[in-house]
């Protein structure tokens, strides 16, 4: 993923080497250099950072000191080291500062090695084209769907580069040198765009991490920021040789977009959109680590073993699993109708966090009348009730008590309906207190001889625990259960774990 520093030194080495060899066979030298870069970027696009390092040391570099430096650099981004602690009153040696220096160097090399196409009339357009700056305005189509066009199999990049190689047949030596110089210039320009994109994604992860310290994360703001990054880089660093890192970058962004969209849909209790986003994210996670057939065994790279996945990929898998667990709770009623109770229990038990079993255990242990999650549908124009609703079906807007439905409850009997007027009245009268208080808000209703504990999970979701007796308002076990459930469902802890070393 972070092949830019290697390529920078590669160009310096290969251009010097090729000037001595070009007179013998220009086509063979250019093809060989392109093949080396093809294999290298394919390794990086498959998380094979160590294999890519070994490959380049074997074919380009012989300096072990440089080798150690590259080994660390290739993994820094994928392991979130840019989120690590920064030294005070020390020289800035962070990953971001390294990328900023690298960006300046790539821009300098792009100008240094560029030769005007006038002197090389037979050169392919892809070799002479200078990389434009990121556009300020871009087309309006969905950035994720458009970006998906370039996030397919990494193996396709090998066949795409044939058009570049085909332009080097029967070239005089001086034209071969010019083509290699222009290729170096063009790729430096393309990689400068890649570095800019990486700096933007670093800022995005930093924003996501800092937002985790607040009680309610604003996922819509994060989604808009990431969509803007996708739009800006949609048509940048598009050279066929860079297809693997372009694909890796696109998949990374698309997966996060789908997970953020799933989170937003669940907060508004949209069954089908949530399900589709989770399925799409799951498929893209699988595609990201799939090894293309061309990579399994290569005459140059030898046998290819699937490398260990970095922290970035593992964190995305954990986030997806957490959202699946949340989905299984929010839509437990509709999912339960699709299978037997025993199978549903087994499915939930296999999730990363079995919310429903926690609710059942708490209810039985403390003999509470009901544990439920209440949805506030006010202002939710697309509310259609439980599960999937056909688009042509007309659904009436709920009113009164019906505008606060219970999306999941245990016990499943409708005994809690006797308490619903009291619950809704408390939610309306104590809205600000429930939203701003860290712990649950306890209310005793002497008329109903019932104690209600309410805590806000998200903007529209409220966890309600009902006891048909007077309970101690400061009961630590009750407050601990409610706080644990709400914190887990919000997911802030997952985003705070972005920082290396977080517990």
């Amino acid at each position: 993923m972070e092949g830019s520093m290697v390529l920078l030194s590669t160009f310096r080495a290969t251009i010097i080497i090729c000037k001595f060899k070009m007179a013998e066979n220009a086509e063979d030298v250019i093809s060989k250099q392109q093949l080396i870069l093809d294999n290298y970027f394919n390794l990086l696009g498959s998380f094979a950072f160590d294999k890519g390092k070994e490959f380049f040391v074997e074919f380009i570099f012989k300096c072990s000191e440089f080798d150690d430096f590259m080994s660390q650099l290739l993994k820094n981004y994928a392991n979130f080291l840019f989120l690590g602690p920064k030294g005070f009153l020390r020289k800035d040696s962070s990953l971001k500062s390294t990328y900023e220096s690298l960006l300046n160097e790539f821009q300098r090399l792009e100008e240094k090695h560029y030769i005007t196409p006038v002197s090389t009339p037979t050169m392919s357009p892809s070799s002479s084209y200078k990389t434009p700056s990121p556009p300020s305005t871009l087309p309006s189509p969905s950035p994720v769907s458009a970006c998906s066009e370039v996030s397919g199999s990494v193996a396709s990049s090998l066949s795409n580069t044939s058009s570049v190689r085909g332009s080097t047949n029967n070239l005089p030596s001086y034209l071969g040198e010019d083509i290699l110089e222009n290729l170096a210039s063009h790729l430096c320009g393309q990689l400068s765009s890649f570095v800019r994109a990486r700096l933007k994604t670093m800022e995005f992860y930093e924003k996501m991490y800092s937002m985790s310290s607040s009680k309610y994360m604003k996922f819509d703001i994060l989604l808009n920021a990431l969509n803007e990054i996708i739009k800006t880089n949609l048509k940048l660093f598009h050279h066929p040789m860079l297809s693997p890192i372009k694909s890796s970058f696109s998949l990374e962004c698309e997966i996060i977009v789908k997970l953020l969209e799933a989170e937003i849909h669940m907060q508004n209790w949209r069954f089908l959109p949530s399900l589709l986003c989770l399925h799409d994210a799951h498929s893209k996670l699988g595609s990201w680590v799939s090894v293309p057939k061309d990579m399994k065994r290569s005459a140059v790279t030898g046998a290819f073993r699937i490398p260990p996945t970095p922290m970035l990929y593992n964190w995305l898998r954990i986030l997806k699993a957490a959202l699946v667990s949340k989905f299984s709770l929010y839509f437990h009623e509709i999912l339960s109708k699709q299978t037997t109770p025993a199978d549903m229990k087994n499915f939930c038990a296999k999730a990363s966090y079995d919310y429903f079993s926690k609710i059942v255990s708490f209810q039985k242990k403390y003999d509470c009348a009901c544990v439920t999650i209440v949805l506030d549908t006010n202002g939710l124009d697309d509310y259609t009730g439980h599960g999937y609703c056909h688009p042509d079906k007309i659904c009436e807007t709920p009113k009164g008590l019906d505008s606060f439905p219970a999306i999941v409850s245990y016990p499943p009997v409708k005994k809690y309906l006797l308490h619903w007027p009291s619950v809704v009245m408390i939610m309306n009268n104590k809205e600000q207190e429930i939203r701003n208080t860290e712990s649950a808000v306890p209310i005793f209703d002497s008329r109903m001889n019932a104690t209600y504990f309410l805590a806000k999970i998200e903007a529209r979701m409220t966890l309600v625990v009902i006891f048909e007796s007077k309970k101690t308002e400061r009961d630590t076990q009750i407050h601990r259960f409610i706080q644990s459930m709400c914190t887990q469902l919000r997911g802030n802890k997952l985003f705070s774990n972005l920082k290396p070393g977080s517990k």
Side-chain angles (χ1 to χ4, degrees):
M1 191 180 297
E2 310 305 321
S4 44
M5 279 296 287
V6 173
L7 191 65
L8 178 62
S9 298
T10 303
F11 286 147
R12 289 171 174 168
T14 54
I15 290 172
I16 294 173
I17 294 171
C18 290
K19 285 183 178 179
F20 288 103
K21 296 182 178 180
M22 196 66 72
E24 298 178 4
N25 194 326
E27 297 90 339
D28 290 346
V29 173
I30 293 175
S31 297
K32 181 179 179 181
Q33 300 308 317
Q34 290 176 334
L35 180 61
I36 289 174
L37 293 176
D38 285 343
N39 282 282
Y40 174 68
F41 283 118
N42 272 287
L43 289 168
L44 295 187
S46 301
F47 295 131
F49 304 124
D50 291 338
K51 185 69 175 178
K53 173 199 66 178
E54 295 170 3
F55 172 74
F56 249 68
V57 167
E58 180 179 355
F59 285 92
I60 298 295
F61 302 108
K62 304 298 180 184
C63 176
S64 60
E65 181 180 352
F66 182 79
D67 169 30
D68 290 337
F69 171 74
M70 289 311 306
S71 174
Q72 186 64 35
L73 180 64
L74 294 174
K75 298 179 181 178
N76 279 350
Y77 175 85
N79 287 298
F80 293 134
L81 294 189
F82 55 90
L83 292 174
K86 297 176 176 60
F88 181 66
L89 295 179
R90 295 180 183 176
K91 182 179 179 181
D92 188 5
S93 58
S94 65
L95 187 62
K96 287 187 69 175
S97 65
T98 303
Y99 268 72
E100 289 166 355
S101 301
L102 189 60
L103 176 60
N104 295 331
E105 185 69 6
F106 271 139
Q107 291 172 338
R108 185 185 68 81
L109 285 175
E110 180 182 15
E111 296 297 328
K112 177 181 178 181
H113 292 294
Y114 180 73
I115 299 175
T116 57
V118 176
S119 63
T120 58
T122 60
M123 185 167 50
S124 67
S126 61
S127 298
S128 62
Y129 175 71
K130 294 191 72 175
T131 304
S133 300
S136 56
T137 58
L138 289 123
S140 57
S142 170
V144 175
S145 60
C147 198
S148 298
E149 298 175 5
V150 294
S151 64
S153 174
V154 174
S156 62
S157 63
L158 291 174
S159 60
N160 290 339
T161 55
S162 60
S163 61
V164 180
R165 295 193 191 96
S167 63
T168 64
N169 292 332
N170 303 319
L171 288 176
S173 60
Y174 74 91
L175 286 184
E177 292 178 16
D178 287 353
I179 287 179
L180 196 61
E181 291 277 358
N182 276 294
L183 177 61
S185 172
H186 180 54
L187 288 182
C188 281
Q190 296 264 310
L191 284 168
S192 66
S193 298
F194 173 70
V195 172
R196 287 192 196 94
R198 276 283 165 256
L199 288 168
K200 287 296 183 182
T201 52
M202 288 181 200
E203 292 176 4
F204 171 78
Y205 285 117
E206 288 173 344
K207 179 185 291 186
M208 191 156 53
Y209 171 75
S210 62
M211 197 177 286
S212 66
S213 60
S214 59
K215 185 176 181 180
Y216 305 108
M217 293 187 65
K218 298 179 180 179
F219 293 104
D220 54 338
I221 294 178
L222 293 174
L223 182 61
N224 291 336
L226 189 54
N227 277 332
E228 188 62 32
I229 293 174
I230 293 176
K231 286 182 180 180
T232 302
N233 295 281
L234 186 60
K235 296 183 179 180
L236 301 180
F237 51 101
H238 53 73
H239 193 281
M241 285 187 186
L242 304 184
S243 178
I245 62 171
K246 176 72 171 184
S247 176
S248 183
F249 174 83
S250 300
L251 282 169
E252 175 189 347
C253 293
E254 290 171 24
I255 291 166
I256 301 174
V257 163
K258 289 302 175 184
L259 293 176
L260 292 177
E261 287 179 347
E263 178 70 64
I264 293 171
H265 287 315
M266 279 189 276
Q267 288 183 355
N268 292 282
W269 211 47
R270 303 184 187 115
F271 173 73
L272 186 60
S274 303
L275 179 63
L276 293 177
C277 287
L278 289 174
H279 181 270
D280 202 359
H282 176 78
S283 300
K284 292 181 186 299
L285 280 166
S287 300
W288 202 2
V289 292
S290 62
V291 181
K293 294 180 180 179
D294 307 62
M295 290 288 296
K296 290 184 178 178
R297 177 168 289 278
S298 167
V300 180
T301 61
F304 180 81
R305 294 182 179 180
I306 298 177
T309 51
M311 181 178 174
L312 167 62
Y313 182 85
N314 295 335
W315 179 81
L316 289 173
R317 286 188 60 189
I318 293 171
L319 177 59
K320 190 265 296 184
L323 292 179
V324 170
S325 298
K326 184 175 181 176
F327 179 87
S328 68
L329 175 66
Y330 277 15
F331 301 100
H332 189 274
E333 181 175 330
I334 188 64
L335 294 174
S336 298
K337 295 178 181 179
Q338 314 305 315
T339 185
T340 63
D343 286 343
M344 185 64 190
K345 184 177 181 180
N346 291 333
F347 291 145
C348 291
K350 293 177 181 178
S352 62
Y353 195 90
D354 189 353
Y355 290 102
F356 197 76
S357 70
K358 300 287 184 184
I359 291 175
V360 172
S361 299
F362 175 82
Q363 188 274 335
K364 291 180 177 179
K365 184 176 181 179
Y366 293 96
D367 194 29
C368 59
C370 181
V371 179
T372 183
I373 296 177
V374 184
L375 170 68
D376 181 0
T377 65
N378 291 301
L380 197 60
D381 297 332
D382 57 353
Y383 174 75
T384 57
H386 282 275
Y388 171 74
C389 180
H390 193 278
D392 294 337
K393 182 181 178 181
I394 299 175
C395 299
E396 295 184 2
T397 303
K399 299 178 181 179
L401 296 180
D402 293 336
S403 60
F404 292 89
I407 65 170
V408 62
S409 61
Y410 188 84
V413 294
K414 303 300 182 181
K415 185 178 180 180
Y416 65 83
L417 290 177
L418 296 173
H419 299 276
W420 220 240
S422 298
V423 170
V424 172
M425 183 178 66
I426 294 171
M427 289 180 62
N428 285 326
N429 295 340
K430 301 283 187 177
E431 166 66 21
Q432 290 299 323
E433 183 180 353
I434 296 172
R435 180 182 296 274
N436 298 327
T437 305
E438 290 296 328
S439 58
V441 175
I443 301 291
F444 175 69
D445 188 339
S446 57
R447 182 177 59 85
M448 297 294 296
N449 191 33
T451 306
Y452 307 100
F453 291 85
L454 297 88
K456 187 71 70 175
I457 302 172
E458 295 159 342
R460 294 187 177 278
M461 301 291 183
T462 305
L463 178 63
V464 180
V465 179
I466 304 173
F467 290 91
E468 292 183 329
S469 62
K470 187 172 183 178
K471 301 293 290 186
T472 304
E473 293 185 353
R474 296 184 179 181
D475 191 310
T476 56
Q477 297 299 324
I478 297 174
H479 282 278
R480 188 177 301 164
F481 164 77
I482 293 175
Q483 186 173 12
S484 173
M485 288 288 292
C486 292
T487 302
Q488 198 75 25
L489 285 167
R490 290 188 200 116
N492 293 48
K493 180 66 175 177
L494 281 172
F495 293 94
S496 65
N497 286 343
L498 280 169
K499 190 172 184 178
S502 300
K503 296 182 179 180

